[in-house]
Amino acid sequence: MKTARKGGAPDPGAPWDEIAPGLWMGGHHWADAAGQRRPVVVGAEFDLVVSLFSATGHGPAPGVPHRIVPVPDGPLNAGQLAAVQEAARAVAAAVGSGRTVLVRCRSGYNRSGLVVAQALVELGASSAEAVRRVRAGRSPWALHNGLFVEYLDVGLDVARLLVSLEALDSS
């Protein structure tokens, strides 16, 4: 039995999972076969680590490039959507050049799923295919934040514009 988390989502059954060749997705905790919650500590397994959430003691090892892009697991503003796009482009470029990349967030489902899916879009997948690949590779719980799937469906450029217009309208 996997440990249930906030929102009913269980801890993932692996520290990280490969979504596409060289593109990995993970979190900061996972549940082993006995259901025990374990910390994920990244060493030097990857050429680049992108963290949408970070916590002391979870790595990566010194010398491994680590890009920290803090975003909430909720509605994103235009600046946060731009940061997601920039991170996804960096991930796609690294994977495209043969580097291994881990994208992670707190549980390894939503924020990391958004960046990984957008990186797959940057690499030529449709948004629907990207979401399918993230869920098939990581967990059916991946991208259970429906707003993030909506961002992908309309495209992050359009989502940024809509969020910006909404912010103007409410001021």
Side-chain angles (χ1 to χ4, degrees):
M1 184 80 175
K2 293 182 178 156
T3 307
R5 297 188 30 69
K6 178 183 163 193
D11 279 321
W16 46 69
D17 293 287
E18 192 170 27
I19 307 304
L23 179 55
W24 296 76
M25 184 173 148
H28 281 68
H29 291 90
W30 70 289
D32 65 18
Q36 295 298 308
R37 192 168 207 227
R38 304 283 184 206
V40 175
V41 180
V42 180
E45 300 90 344
F46 302 97
D47 299 318
L48 171 65
V49 176
V50 176
S51 297
L52 292 307
F53 166 87
S54 63
T56 303
H58 289 263
V64 174
H66 186 203
R67 186 175 200 158
I68 301 172
V69 185
V71 295
D73 188 7
L76 303 180
N77 64 35
Q80 292 163 334
L81 285 165
V84 165
Q85 282 183 291
E86 184 181 319
R89 287 182 186 123
V91 167
V95 169
S97 68
R99 297 171 68 201
T100 57
V101 180
L102 172 64
V103 180
R104 65 183 182 168
C105 59
R106 186 178 194 99
S107 64
Y109 290 144
N110 286 313
R111 291 170 278 186
S112 57
L114 178 60
V115 171
V116 168
Q118 183 61 34
L120 291 171
V121 168
E122 297 288 336
L123 292 167
S126 69
S127 63
E129 174 64 13
V131 170
R132 187 198 67 72
R133 289 174 69 181
V134 164
R135 289 178 175 157
R138 180 67 172 158
S139 165
W141 284 98
L143 286 170
H144 67 271
N145 179 334
L147 183 57
F148 286 5
V149 175
E150 288 179 35
Y151 291 152
L152 291 162
D153 286 344
V154 300
L156 294 190
D157 285 330
V158 173
R160 282 176 54 201
L161 176 62
L162 292 172
V163 167
S164 295
L165 291 173
E166 191 175 283
L168 287 175
D169 197 36
S170 66
S171 56

